[in-house]
Amino acid sequence: MQQDDKVEKYRIDKWLFSARFFKTRSLAAEAINRGRVTLNGHRVKPAKIVMVGDILIIRINNYQYTIEILELSNKRGSATQAQQLYGETEESQKQRELLAARLKAQPQPFFTKSSRPTKRDRREIERFISIQDDS
């Protein structure tokens, strides 16, 4: 028997799940397959083995995280334990803060209570369509 068989291997999808970047392992695997996670600048598959010191770029919605793996784990723990598994670069943190401030400064869309148009709205739509048809 070799010693390599006893060493636990840490898949990237399991690590992302245990580091709490994704709610489920299948969501982590899907993000990896879609190219939203890169390992040391390369696209990888969910079964790729990660090691301490690897650099990950993770894109979730509008945000991008650039992190370095500090510890390895396959078990999902508390949020404080998960934060000790990685270190985010200062540049990455600044970029996310800038983006958050920019998104917050944008005007919020105005929505009415109901999604259906009112009777008045329908009449205005019909009037608009009839004007378009006449011209």
Side-chain angles (χ1 to χ4, degrees):
M1 212 196 255
Q2 295 178 347
Q3 283 184 329
D4 294 337
D5 294 339
K6 294 181 181 180
V7 176
E8 189 173 0
K9 298 187 178 182
Y10 299 94
R11 292 170 49 127
I12 189 169
D13 59 343
K14 286 184 179 182
W15 188 88
L16 287 169
F17 170 66
S18 64
R20 293 185 168 261
F21 281 101
F22 297 96
K23 288 187 178 187
T24 64
R25 185 174 148 206
S26 62
L27 287 175
E30 185 179 334
I32 294 166
N33 285 331
R34 292 184 177 200
R36 294 185 179 135
V37 178
T38 59
L39 175 68
N40 297 324
H42 302 288
R43 282 184 71 167
V44 292
K45 293 184 177 180
K48 179 70 176 171
I49 305 300
V50 292
M51 304 172 89
V52 173
D54 284 343
I55 304 294
L56 293 175
I57 298 175
I58 306 163
R59 287 179 294 147
I60 302 174
N61 296 330
N62 295 328
Y63 298 100
Q64 180 171 312
Y65 301 86
T66 303
I67 62 165
E68 179 182 359
I69 297 176
L70 301 177
E71 292 182 34
L72 299 172
S73 174
N74 281 335
K75 295 187 179 175
R76 190 171 171 102
S78 67
T80 54
Q81 290 173 338
Q83 289 175 343
Q84 294 177 4
L85 296 177
Y86 62 90
E88 186 175 6
T89 63
E90 287 185 30
E91 183 181 326
S92 173
Q93 288 176 344
K94 289 178 184 176
Q95 291 294 326
R96 281 191 308 107
E97 289 171 2
L98 278 171
L99 182 60
R102 210 176 301 148
L103 289 174
K104 194 172 185 178
Q106 288 182 347
Q108 297 298 317
F110 175 76
F111 295 105
T112 58
K113 289 184 181 179
S114 69
S115 59
R116 292 181 52 185
T118 62
K119 188 173 187 177
R120 180 178 179 209
D121 293 337
R122 284 193 301 273
R123 287 181 179 162
E124 288 179 6
I125 291 169
E126 289 172 4
R127 194 175 311 129
F128 178 75
I129 291 172
S130 67
I131 291 171
Q132 293 295 322
D133 289 341
D134 291 341
S135 52

